[in-house]
Amino acid sequence: MQQFGISVNQASSDLNRYIALAPDNMVYDKSARTYVRGQDFTCKFRSPDAARYLAQLRLVADDVLKREECWIFDLPSHASAPTPVRGVDPVTLRSIVGAIRRSEAIEVKYQSLSSPQPRWRWIAPHAIAFDGFRWHTRAFCLTDEAFKDFLLLRILDIRGSRESEVPAGHDGDWNTEVTLEIGPHPALSKTEAKVIALDYGMRGGKTKIKVRRALLYYSLRRLGLDTDPGARKPQDQQIVLLNREVIHEDHG
């Protein structure tokens, strides 16, 4: 009743319907005066999903989702390593998403690292991407005549829109996937390598990760694979890229 904001009658009706559908899933505990999980419980509507559960915890820990909005009724003690990034302006996000849906180009006031002052430029966004820390829009820059990533946080203002003449299908890096093969650092002991293989779900000493080529740089940086494996101690590096040729492949 508290979780879903329903009446006593509605709660009773819902519980009875569920018992009819899955009679072994819950039993009434007379001493506790409540229904509890049955010993022969099997999911009726959704398979157990640890990723979904942990994603909910992270959203609450990051103050993105309020506790009362989370579907986990009894939250365990939890925390998330903070990321010092301000929130994306919802008006900016709405404009970007709208431009993507309508296949439009928009004029944005953008602050880049290479320019001391923000500049107005036309971009034609076609996708949104997360690099592990910040949100970008993938767009064709009419100023530089190239597909680039634009941080949503650096878009200071938006004015004007027009039909885009550059199809999203022309963004080869976005539409091309590469496969990263990673394995334990070769200098680790057998025991250490076994633990790392367990951490990353490796089989046969390696695992494969698919990533859009447009996000390759961010993925390598996030995994700590953007530097030479010898630059850090094996216990700190832990994993290595087995097919480093994917970094240098021509992707015109």
Side-chain angles (χ1 to χ4, degrees):
M1 291 167 56
Q2 179 181 342
Q3 180 75 2
F4 298 106
I6 57 177
S7 66
V8 174
N9 290 338
Q10 185 62 58
S12 298
S13 175
D14 289 344
L15 290 174
N16 287 330
R17 289 179 61 198
Y18 185 75
I19 291 173
L21 291 169
D24 297 325
N25 275 10
M26 65 181 186
V27 296
Y28 189 75
D29 186 328
K30 293 182 180 179
S31 60
R33 301 178 65 184
T34 188
Y35 283 100
V36 296
R37 178 189 178 105
Q39 291 184 347
D40 299 322
F41 180 92
T42 56
C43 288
K44 181 70 177 177
F45 298 105
R46 178 181 291 163
S47 299
D49 190 340
R52 180 183 290 269
Y53 184 94
L54 295 175
Q56 286 270 316
L57 286 186
R58 183 174 180 182
L59 288 173
V60 175
D62 290 343
D63 293 325
V64 176
L65 191 69
K66 295 181 180 178
R67 290 180 69 98
E68 56 269 23
E69 295 174 343
C70 177
W71 58 259
I72 305 172
F73 180 70
D74 189 12
L75 288 172
S77 179
H78 60 281
S80 175
T83 302
V85 175
R86 64 183 176 89
V88 174
D89 182 6
V91 176
T92 298
L93 179 59
R94 185 172 65 233
S95 299
I96 295 293
V97 173
I100 293 173
R101 289 174 175 168
R102 295 187 295 269
S103 298
E104 290 181 342
I106 54 177
E107 191 178 15
V108 300
K109 189 177 184 180
Y110 191 76
Q111 177 64 70
S112 66
L113 281 176
S114 59
S115 175
Q117 298 295 329
R119 295 168 50 199
W120 285 98
R121 65 173 68 203
W122 282 91
I123 65 172
H126 69 80
I128 292 178
F130 186 61
D131 67 8
F133 297 99
R134 299 172 297 183
W135 285 96
H136 305 246
T137 181
R138 183 73 177 174
F140 183 79
C141 177
L142 281 74
T143 300
D144 297 336
E145 296 187 340
F147 285 99
K148 302 174 67 174
D149 302 328
F150 294 90
L151 278 168
L152 299 185
L153 293 167
R154 294 182 185 170
I155 297 177
L156 307 180
D157 199 1
I158 298 176
R159 68 181 185 192
S161 64
R162 67 191 190 201
E163 184 178 352
S164 173
E165 299 178 356
V166 182
H170 287 188
D171 189 350
D173 282 350
W174 179 263
N175 294 301
T176 301
E177 280 191 341
V178 297
T179 300
L180 304 179
E181 294 185 3
I182 62 172
H185 196 292
L188 292 175
S189 68
K190 289 185 177 180
T191 300
E192 291 170 332
K194 187 176 180 179
V195 172
I196 297 305
L198 182 64
D199 287 346
Y200 290 88
M202 297 179 185
R203 293 186 178 182
K206 66 180 180 181
T207 191
K208 296 181 179 181
I209 302 174
K210 287 187 176 182
V211 59
R212 294 181 186 272
R213 183 169 286 281
L215 300 178
L216 179 60
Y217 166 77
Y218 307 115
S219 300
L220 293 174
R221 186 177 62 179
R222 191 177 186 190
L223 291 168
L225 299 172
D226 56 334
T227 57
D228 188 285
R232 296 191 296 171
K233 294 190 300 183
Q235 289 75 15
D236 294 331
Q237 180 66 31
Q238 298 184 350
I239 59 173
V240 294
L241 183 63
L242 301 176
N243 59 334
R244 294 192 66 84
E245 65 272 10
V246 301
I247 301 178
H248 308 293
E249 286 177 355
D250 178 28
H251 53 279

